[in-house]
Amino acid sequence: MKTGTLILTVAAQMLVPLQILFSLFLLLRGHDEPGGGFIAGLVVAGAFALHQFVNGPEATRRLLRVDPRDCIGIGLLLGVGSAFPAWWQGEAFLTAQWWDVLGFKLSTPLIFDIGVYLVVLGSVLTAVITLTEVDKDEA
Amino acid sequence: MQIAVLTGFVLAILVPLLSRCCGSRTGLVLALYPAAVAFWLVSLAPEVLQSGGIYFEQAWAPSLGLSLSFWLDGLSLLFGLLISGIGTLIIIYASGYLHGHPQLARFYVLILSFMSSMLGVVMADGLMTLFVFWELTSITSYLLIGFNHEDAAARKSALQGLLVTFTGGLALLSGLILLNVVGGSWSLQTLLSDGEALREHALYLPMLLCLLGGAFTKSAQFPFHFWLPNAMAAPTPVSAYLHSATMVKAGIYLMARLQPGLGGTEAWMTILCVVGAITMVVGAFLAIRFTGIKKVLAYSTIMALGTLTMLLGIGGEAAMIAFVTFLAAHSLYKGALFMVAGALDHETGTKDIDEMGGLRRAMPVTALCAFVAALSLGGVIPLFGFVAKELMFEVVLDAPRFTGFLIGMSLLASVLVVAAAGIVALRPFFGALKPTPKEPHEAPLAMLAGPCVLACLSLVLGFMPWLAGGPLLAPAASAVMGAEVVTDLYLWHGINTALMMSMFSLCVGLLVCWRWANVRAVIHRFSPILDRGPEAVYWKLMDLLVRVAEWQTRLLQSGYMRNYLILTLLTFTGLTGYTLLVRHGPEFDITLDVRLQEVVVALVTAASAIMACMMRSRLAAVATAGVMGFGIALIFLLFSAPDLAITQLLIETLTVILLILVLFRMPQFSSLSTPMERARDMLVAVSTGVLMTLLILTVLAQDLFTPISEYMIENSVPLGHGHNIVNVILVDFRALDTLGEIFVLSLAAIGVLAMLRLQAKEKKAP
Amino acid sequence: MEPIMAVVIGVIYASAIYMMLRRSIVKLVIGLILISNAANLLIFTVAGMTRDAPPLIPMNGDPLGDVVADPLPQALVLTAIVIAFGVLSFAVVLIRRAYQIVRVDDLDQMKDTDT
């Protein structure tokens, strides 16, 4: 079901993929430049919200593939999980650990930030998509 | 060590997955965990014997002196073995008892979590570690008692157990904090090494009372004993495990653990001896009052807990040996008896002893297990229970204080317990076969394994008590004593006073058992008095609580949101304004260093806030509030906060989306207030606004301390490997705060989902 | 700049409280938005406002200047903004649900728990 106007539809087609890409960019560079999990999560949530306004909630759920609720769960698990690697090193919980994997800097703060990203994405979309669906059920 | 304790929680998380792929064998797979813990403990035993204990510490919040620390000594080892050993049998037993139960997986989750918590309690060294695990056992016990959550009585009993143990838990927390204040350490090991200082401190008595409050409620000592029989609403594996073998012994464990530090004083001996002895007799007496097989067992457990407390109170080397022996013997036979009771209930469909009879032909193995275990409970030679009972009598005979009282009480209690043992083990199996709701037949193998193993242990240890004595009980007794104790257990002590007392109690007890119906009739005449026991006080208190709550609600809650707000705000403005102006005196430092564009943005922001209040349409109000949001974003941008500016912009966008989705289903604004009301509200609003401005100006004029962010700015690159300091703070330096924040966010989203989805379901299913 | 901001924050607080005291439930939501913004600005302002010195360490290894905006309140406010949104969405849905059941938007008529 198409719900948007022509201009919005065309704009969304180009904007949504760009926004998703941009959010990943913001997420990864967040440690050094303005950005990070919260901001990137909001950007991508905005992208999906736009997609939903144009194409309806079913299409957005299909595009997402995972239930936004599961995003919250996975995000929280990543966040909590990043507390534990420090344990094996005998350090206090949540002490940052850095590894060099094939030339990339992988770290618990990065995992944590990805967790934040997923929680923000999941929370916002859960609210927005469910609201739209319930509205439709009632209409 | 932490892995052994925490694996249970991890396994509990994995249970739903496991039960999907292992089906009905899940129980056996899960039983491997406690079995592994048991083997691990056995393998550590020589080291513990040699070194006196193994210590492990994981820093948690080092700046507060808090750590996750474990300490494995003889006492912990004994308790750990009981927990993991009986736990293994219980999980196997439960897989038979709850076979095909739709919520079997939930049961496994809870019992594994409990097992881990209990291991945590007995191995904890840090006071806070101990407390956290202690409360976890209360919570899991609550969930397990209320396992049949559709049964109102079970829910009520669960809540009762929770309230009693949590009240005690609060007392325990105060006690532990006092212990820290007095002893100056969070580590039990350090604290107990200097018992003299603890005992002579002025705060000794309040501290002792608080700690004992926790222990007595947990271990169902008189007058807090009433929750334990009610907890029998739980499935029988739970009763066998939590409410006889392990959890109720947590209080006993705590007292034993503290004995080297706090024990031996006048107060300690008086309280423990008297409370223990009374509990012992009350438990044994009430045991023969009921016909429900689990109730009888529950009250006899209370008797055993009372005995253990009393032995701790008497003190001395012999008492400590008797204590650990009685503890081990009780866990073995009571675990077996509970499992037998469950098998009877499962196979006959009734819990009432009066409805059972002549079952020995239908259930021969069960009958044999019950018989052996009951002999141990009654303290008949040559069972392990006999060894324990002999030791108990010997200690009581030599008690330095209240000797006559204690001898009388323990003799009375053991008579009654023999009767209870007879009731449980003889009545259902002998005599004429009685019709039962279900055709009785032998219990499945999974349910026989547990009682058989435990009954055999009771028998073997009866003949050869030194098997347990040297390697296990001696180190435990030494740990309780706080000094080396040599244990030399043997079955036959020769003909002495203790043996005479044993024989006497056996004869009279069997007489009571034989004439049980008559005895019950006599007791029944006193039931108006008995019903006014501590439990009645509990219900009175609950009623009172509800009534006080109703009264204060009527007094304070008018129901008008506006009134609450105005009251709060006026109090705030009045008190803070008074302090600010009168006590502190206005002291502002107004130096203006501004640029034109900043002033414009600030004015637009303030103006749009006011405009948002004056708008007559919803759209206009939302739009002006949005303008204010963008103004704030600009302010963030102008004053070096790019991250904040971006976040604010994005949130403004999403807020508008959200409001459009919801608010436009709501009615239009309408004018509801009178001009008088508006003027009043405006007065409150303006006075609060002015106060806030004055507060900010005051704060700005002060420079109380240097910002703590120096450290973060300096270490962002070297320690955090990040150039954006704000982000480094969020995900590294203060990651725990952020973790809390994303949890809040998730909760809000789940709340939204619940409100919307539940409503959708209601509509679909009218 | 801070004294001006103090006045601005006072104004936003006053507007927020005025809106929260209205009887219309939708106005309450607007008041909620205003007050969370006011609180964020308050933290930001009280920590001191600095121009043109964001707390970003140059990638080329140059040291930061002497005056840098304090990053800690920024981190606090950043999460506060996001959480305020979470709370707002909760409140908004709660109000929507309440309205569906009681069919009034007047807070004075919502005072009983069992309507």
Side-chain angles (χ1 to χ4, degrees), chain B residues 285-314:
Chain B
F285 173 68
L286 291 175
I288 58 167
R289 189 186 163 205
F290 293 96
T291 57
I293 187 160
K294 285 177 75 181
K295 284 239 159 156
V296 175
L297 290 175
Y299 279 113
S300 75
T301 305
I302 294 179
M303 173 266 170
L305 296 170
T307 313
L308 290 170
T309 309
M310 180 187 77
L311 287 172
L312 279 175
I314 295 173

Side-chain angles (χ1 to χ4, degrees), chain B residues 558-562 565-566 569 589-595 598-599 602 605-606 609-610 612-613 615 618 621-622 625 628-629 632 635-636 638-644 647-648 651-652 654-655 658-659 661-663 665-670 672-673 677-678 681-682 684-686 688-689 692-693 696-697 699-700 707-709 712-713 716-717 722-726 729-730 734 738 741 744-745 748 751-752 755-756 759 762-763, chain C residues 1-30 33-35 37-38 40-42 44-61 64 66 68-101 103-112:
Chain B
S558 64
Y560 291 103
M561 156 105 164
R562 197 159 4 97
L565 261 180
I566 291 179
L569 287 172
D589 166 28
I590 303 182
T591 43
L592 278 181
D593 159 34
V594 288
R595 295 178 192 168
E598 294 164 1
V599 178
T605 309
I610 298 174
C613 304
M615 288 300 157
R618 295 165 301 177
V622 169
M628 183 203 65
I632 292 175
I635 293 173
F636 287 148
L638 285 171
F639 290 95
S640 324
D643 285 284
L644 287 189
T647 317
Q648 177 78 23
I651 287 290
E652 277 313 317
L654 288 170
T655 308
L658 185 80
L659 292 180
L661 278 173
V662 175
L663 286 195
R665 304 229 154 220
M666 307 282 295
Q668 293 280 350
F669 284 173
S670 47
L672 290 168
S673 313
E677 285 174 330
R678 249 173 253 183
D681 295 347
M682 202 141 2
V684 174
V686 168
T688 318
M692 290 312 290
T693 305
I696 297 170
L697 289 174
V699 170
L700 287 171
I708 52 169
S709 38
M712 291 161 184
I713 296 172
S716 179
V717 172
H723 294 260
N724 180 358
I725 308 172
V726 175
I729 292 173
L730 281 176
R734 310 287 311 174
T738 315
E741 275 144 12
V744 174
L745 200 58
V752 168
M755 276 192 283
L756 292 172
Q759 165 198 11
E762 272 166 27
K763 282 220 169 124
Chain C
M1 188 60 196
E2 284 92 346
I4 294 182
M5 284 310 295
V7 177
V8 171
I9 295 166
V11 168
I12 302 179
Y13 263 112
S15 324
I17 285 161
Y18 181 74
M19 283 305 257
M20 288 174 86
L21 289 172
R22 300 297 86 217
R23 278 165 69 178
S24 161
I25 202 163
V26 179
K27 289 189 179 171
L28 177 75
V29 170
I30 307 231
I33 300 177
L34 295 180
I35 207 163
N37 274 313
N40 291 341
L41 265 187
L42 172 79
F44 186 72
T45 307
V46 166
M49 300 170 86
T50 320
R51 287 191 194 89
D52 304 323
L56 298 168
I57 297 165
M59 290 299 279
N60 54 17
L64 273 173
D66 288 339
V68 189
D70 194 340
L72 190 63
Q74 291 196 18
L76 293 177
V77 173
L78 200 155
T79 48
I81 296 175
V82 180
I83 289 202
F85 175 73
V87 173
L88 179 72
S89 59
F90 185 83
V92 158
V93 173
L94 183 71
I95 282 166
R96 174 186 187 279
R97 183 91 173 95
Y99 175 68
Q100 272 180 334
I101 294 174
R103 285 286 153 196
V104 282
D105 72 322
D106 181 357
L107 277 170
D108 279 11
Q109 290 177 34
M110 281 190 178
K111 73 187 194 68
D112 294 320

Side-chain angles (χ1 to χ4, degrees), chain B residues 318 389-399 493 496 498-499:
Chain B
K389 198 169 162 185
E390 289 287 279
L391 287 171
M392 193 260 284
F393 277 139
E394 277 170 22
V395 169
V396 170
L397 285 170
D398 290 342
H493 289 233
N496 54 14
L499 186 72

Side-chain angles (χ1 to χ4, degrees), chain B residues 31 168 462 518 589 739:
Chain B
N518 304 22
D589 166 28
L739 193 64

Side-chain angles (χ1 to χ4, degrees), chain B residues 357-372:
Chain B
L359 290 170
R360 68 181 183 283
R361 275 182 230 294
M363 309 172 73
V365 185
T366 315
L368 192 65
C369 292
F371 192 62
V372 172

Side-chain angles (χ1 to χ4, degrees), chain B residues 686-765:
Chain B
V686 168
S687 58
T688 318
V690 169
L691 177 70
M692 290 312 290
T693 305
L694 292 181
L695 268 181
I696 297 170
L697 289 174
T698 316
V699 170
L700 287 171
Q702 310 272 321
D703 202 9
L704 290 178
F705 45 80
T706 50
I708 52 169
S709 38
E710 273 314 305
Y711 169 84
M712 291 161 184
I713 296 172
E714 272 166 24
N715 288 302
S716 179
V717 172
L719 288 182
H721 301 278
H723 294 260
N724 180 358
I725 308 172
V726 175
N727 186 263
V728 173
I729 292 173
L730 281 176
V731 299
D732 195 341
F733 293 147
R734 310 287 311 174
L736 191 63
D737 298 352
T738 315
L739 193 64
E741 275 144 12
I742 58 177
F743 267 98
V744 174
L745 200 58
S746 318
L747 280 178
I750 290 166
V752 168
L753 190 72
M755 276 192 283
L756 292 172
R757 279 289 159 216
L758 287 181
Q759 165 198 11
K761 265 189 200 154
E762 272 166 27
K763 282 220 169 124
K764 269 175 203 156

